[in-house]
Every structure is written in C-alpha cells, then in structure tokens.
Amino acid sequence: GKGGKGGGGGGTDDAPVTALLPNIPTRGSVSANEYSFYRVPVSSTNRSLTVRLTSLSGDPDLYASFSELRPTEHTAEFHSGELGDDALFLSHYDPRFCNGTREGDAGCSLHLGVGGYVVNASYSLAVSFGEESKLSLISGQPQEGSLEAHAWQYYTIALGGGDVDQIVVSLEASYGDPDVYIKACPPAPPPPPGGHAGDDACPLPSLEDSGWSGTASGGDMVRVADSTGDGWCLQCTYTIGVVAFTRSAFTITATSGGPADHPTRLLQQGVPAHGQVGVGDYVYYSVQLEPAQDVWVTLTATSGDPDMYSSFVSTAPSQEDYQFAARDPAATDELHIFHSEETYCKKDGRERTPCVLVVAVYGFEQADFSIVAVQTPEAPVQLQDGAPQQVAQQGIGEWRYFEYTV
C-alpha cells in the first residue's frame, strides 16, 4: 500500500457531506491531503454493495464506514488505497454491515470519504447494490470495473431522443478478457387508467440475446447504431452487460452523439484509450488538468496516420482552430504543453476552472490508435495486454514509467 496522508489540511468535523444516489455516478474533486465526504442510503440489509472510485486525475483514495459520518484514513472501517482506481466490496454478511442490523430492522447509511493523496485529484464515485444492479453511464465519462471469471456487471445509458445516431462503447482491459453485450430496451407503455407502472421487464443482455456485442481478446470497441446491429431506437435505454471470460479489470466508456455533435470522451490520466478515426474525420477527447503542472499527451498509431490538435478554448479543435498540434507522420505524435505557456488553462485571458484540455484526433489516413495523457513524467502509464504504447524520444538521463498488472 501507499504511505499515509499525514495530518491533512485541517479539521473535517464541519466538512460538508454530499448525498449520493445508488447506481448514479457523481463527479468530484479533492485537494491534496484533504477529504470530500458522501452519504448513500442503504434500504436493505440482504444485498451486498460495491463502491467504485474511478480516478480521472491524481490518485484519490477511498474510505467507508457505517458509523463514522466523515470517515478518514484514521477512522474508516473499510479502505482502498491502490494506485489509480479503487473499489470496495461490502458483503451484507459482514457483521459491520449496517452496524449489524438485519432484515426487518430500519435501513442505514453508508458514509464515504475520498482523500487526495499527495496531489489534487478528480474522480467519479458510484455505489451499486446486488449482482444485477445496473449502473448508469454518463456519456463520455469512464467507469472502472472488475469481475471474477464468468461474472457479469450491467450498465445503462439512455438517449432521450434528439439527433443522436450512435453510441460508441469502449471497453479497455487492464488485465483479463472482458466481453461486452448490448441490448436496446424500448420505453415501457403507460399504465392503464387506475393502474401502476410495472417493474423493469426489459431482459438483460446475454451471450445468446443481444443486439450488439464485442468479443475480441482483451478490450473491445462497439459502435451501436441502426446499421450495425438489431434494435436501434432513439427513445430506448441501452443495457450494457460486461462478462469476464477470465478474471478481469477494465474501464468502460459509452459516448453518444449525432452528426452535428462533437461527442467528447473523458480521459483518465495514465490510462490509454483506444479509438478509430476515418479519413478527414475527428474524434474528440478531454482531460482535466492541474494548472501548476505540465501535460504530456501521447498518440500511438497501430494503423494509418492520425494527428493531434488541442485547445483550452475550443470544444472542437481542428486543423483550422487549435492552440497545440502534433502531426509528424514519421515519428510518435506527442504533445508536451508547459504550464508556463501564456495560454495554459486560460480562456479569454482568464483561468479556466476546472482546467480542461480538449484534444482532437484527426484522420490524415484511416487509423486505429491509442491516446494517453499524464501530468508528470514519473506517473506510470498503464500497459494493456498485447497493445503497443509509444513514447517520444527521451533525453539523456530521463526516465518514463509504465505499469502492467498480471
């Protein structure tokens, strides 16, 4: 494990506590050596629960308690302090679950603390109950997951109409071999007069029953659209099932958009995201940054010739509208943007809060690629099984670090 956080940046007794709803991720940020606190209702004591903390930048840690309103490193009953993403599985058989209350007693609350380890951090936090609970995905926002062999995890994303014509589901495997199966669920008919709406009767996707699927070794990328599968509809909710062929850890992202949109996928620092881009097309990414640190963005092409254009100002940088570019066909495309740059983290001359860099990958040729961003050269880049990862040429005596999980 990692070392302790020290004394922290002040007392936590009066720190605000944010309500968290089950199955709905929430974005947050926390300063170095500080805490952010959450509370989630537990209505049943006969279902286990899972808490997942997806790191977007920095290295946040996760603390939980059924008794301490503001759990910290020193007071939590449960703790996960891994490098990068964290998760806690809390079994309802654990005598500490709901302070020992059993079915028939009143429910309880789970209290959560997210701590900033050494540097400021941003993250997504989600709690799910039971094995078949469905975690909502927010378009473009990554969600961490892990499964034992042959187990399933379910997610949903709703379109809600409009001009959306596709969803791109990306499954990045840290290790193992997860596969993805997707099924459209049409909106339920209104209840009859005087009746009640029925339960969720939409069947879950399975190996035998899905409209779209991705079963490649390692990670998968599935384009869900009318022309690529069975069951597309604009008013549908899409259920995504991830099954582990072998014990697996992964990050899943679902990004929806239409022909006039610029759907943007959020990058986790240090975690490569795989993508595809057609000739003359753009694919967009964003990364949340610390204003006082440089950023390195590396584009690794596995086929074709992609280029990078980025901006702190434009939400859709391009060949005609960008602040920083990397487009050398004969070398690794890497952007190193110094935080001393006059335009760094600024829009209209003012600091952007939060600081977000948008990166467009342009297809000079049709290309397959991976893209990764880090803010310190010492931060390890996560290697994925069988996937190459390039770096720009290093200076004498310089190091770059990588992490591989077995």
Side-chain angles (χ1 to χ4, degrees):
K2 300 177 296 190
K5 289 183 170 54
T12 60
D13 290 347
D14 58 352
V17 178
T18 302
L20 187 65
L21 295 175
N23 298 322
I24 299 177
T26 187
R27 287 272 296 277
S29 60
V30 63
S31 299
N33 299 313
E34 299 286 353
Y35 294 91
S36 294
F37 298 104
Y38 299 86
R39 181 183 68 252
V40 60
V42 180
S43 58
S44 173
T45 57
N46 66 355
R47 289 190 303 166
S48 301
L49 63 88
T50 302
V51 187
R52 299 193 182 278
L53 181 68
T54 302
S55 171
L56 303 177
S57 66
D59 184 19
D61 291 339
L62 179 60
Y63 304 89
S65 176
F66 288 103
S67 56
E68 288 287 336
L69 180 62
R70 297 175 177 86
T72 68
E73 177 185 15
H74 305 290
T75 63
E77 296 175 281
F78 312 93
H79 166 227
S80 177
E82 299 297 324
L83 182 65
D85 298 330
D86 289 295
L88 288 172
F89 174 75
L90 305 183
S91 170
H92 69 282
Y93 293 111
D94 190 312
R96 296 170 292 177
F97 194 92
C98 274
N99 298 315
T101 59
R102 298 271 61 95
E103 189 63 34
D105 296 321
C108 69
S109 291
L110 174 67
H111 309 288
L112 301 172
V114 178
Y117 179 75
V118 181
V119 297
N120 299 347
S122 60
Y123 55 85
S124 171
L125 181 66
V127 179
S128 58
F129 292 83
E131 294 183 355
E132 292 193 353
S133 62
K134 292 181 282 188
L135 188 62
S136 297
L137 294 177
I138 299 171
S139 180
Q141 180 171 304
Q143 178 63 49
E144 177 271 346
S146 59
L147 289 168
E148 296 298 321
H150 311 302
W152 287 79
Q153 173 67 56
Y154 299 98
Y155 305 86
T156 64
I157 184 168
L159 296 187
D163 199 27
V164 175
D165 65 356
Q166 67 173 357
I167 306 169
V168 177
V169 178
S170 300
L171 190 65
E172 312 283 352
S174 302
Y175 61 83
D177 184 16
D179 293 330
V180 60
Y181 295 84
I182 305 161
K183 190 177 181 64
C185 185
H196 300 282
D199 295 333
D200 180 7
C202 192
L204 296 171
S206 65
L207 302 181
E208 298 79 22
D209 183 18
S210 67
W212 299 264
S213 63
T215 57
S217 179
D220 292 287
M221 179 179 295
V222 180
R223 180 173 171 264
V224 179
D226 190 28
S227 60
T228 62
D230 181 31
W232 173 265
C233 75
L234 282 178
Q235 299 296 332
C236 284
T237 295
Y238 290 80
T239 302
I240 303 166
V242 177
V243 60
F245 185 73
T246 59
R247 183 172 177 266
S248 304
F250 57 88
T251 301
I252 185 170
T253 310
T255 307
S256 62
D261 296 332
H262 303 294
T264 303
R265 179 177 170 184
L266 187 63
L267 294 176
Q268 291 177 269
Q269 288 196 27
V271 181
H274 291 81
Q276 301 170 334
V277 63
V279 178
D281 292 336
Y282 293 91
V283 179
Y284 297 94
Y285 298 86
S286 67
V287 58
Q288 188 167 322
L289 303 177
E290 278 299 307
Q293 293 178 306
D294 296 0
V295 62
W296 288 258
V297 186
T298 305
L299 185 67
T300 301
T302 52
S303 69
D305 181 16
D307 296 328
M308 277 194 295
Y309 300 89
S310 67
S311 176
F312 289 104
V313 178
S314 174
T315 58
S318 64
Q319 289 181 306
E320 296 78 29
D321 180 18
Y322 68 90
Q323 292 176 299
F324 311 94
R327 47 193 173 188
D328 189 342
T332 301
D333 278 341
E334 181 169 78
L335 288 169
H336 179 190
I337 307 175
F338 294 88
H339 72 279
S340 57
E341 289 273 357
E342 186 177 347
T343 57
Y344 196 90
C345 283
K346 291 181 180 177
K347 183 176 183 179
D348 298 327
R350 292 180 293 184
E351 295 281 347
R352 290 196 61 178
T353 305
C355 173
V356 176
L357 177 70
V358 179
V359 181
V361 178
Y362 172 73
F364 185 77
E365 299 173 352
Q366 183 168 320
D368 295 274
F369 61 87
S370 70
I371 183 171
V372 65
V374 295
Q375 281 207 268
T376 60
E378 296 82 14
V381 172
Q382 189 179 97
L383 294 180
Q384 296 167 340
D385 201 20
Q389 179 60 53
Q390 297 179 350
V391 294
Q393 183 174 348
Q394 296 297 105
I396 297 174
E398 292 183 354
W399 290 77
R400 294 291 283 271
Y401 298 92
F402 302 88
E403 177 184 61
Y404 181 69
T405 305
V406 294

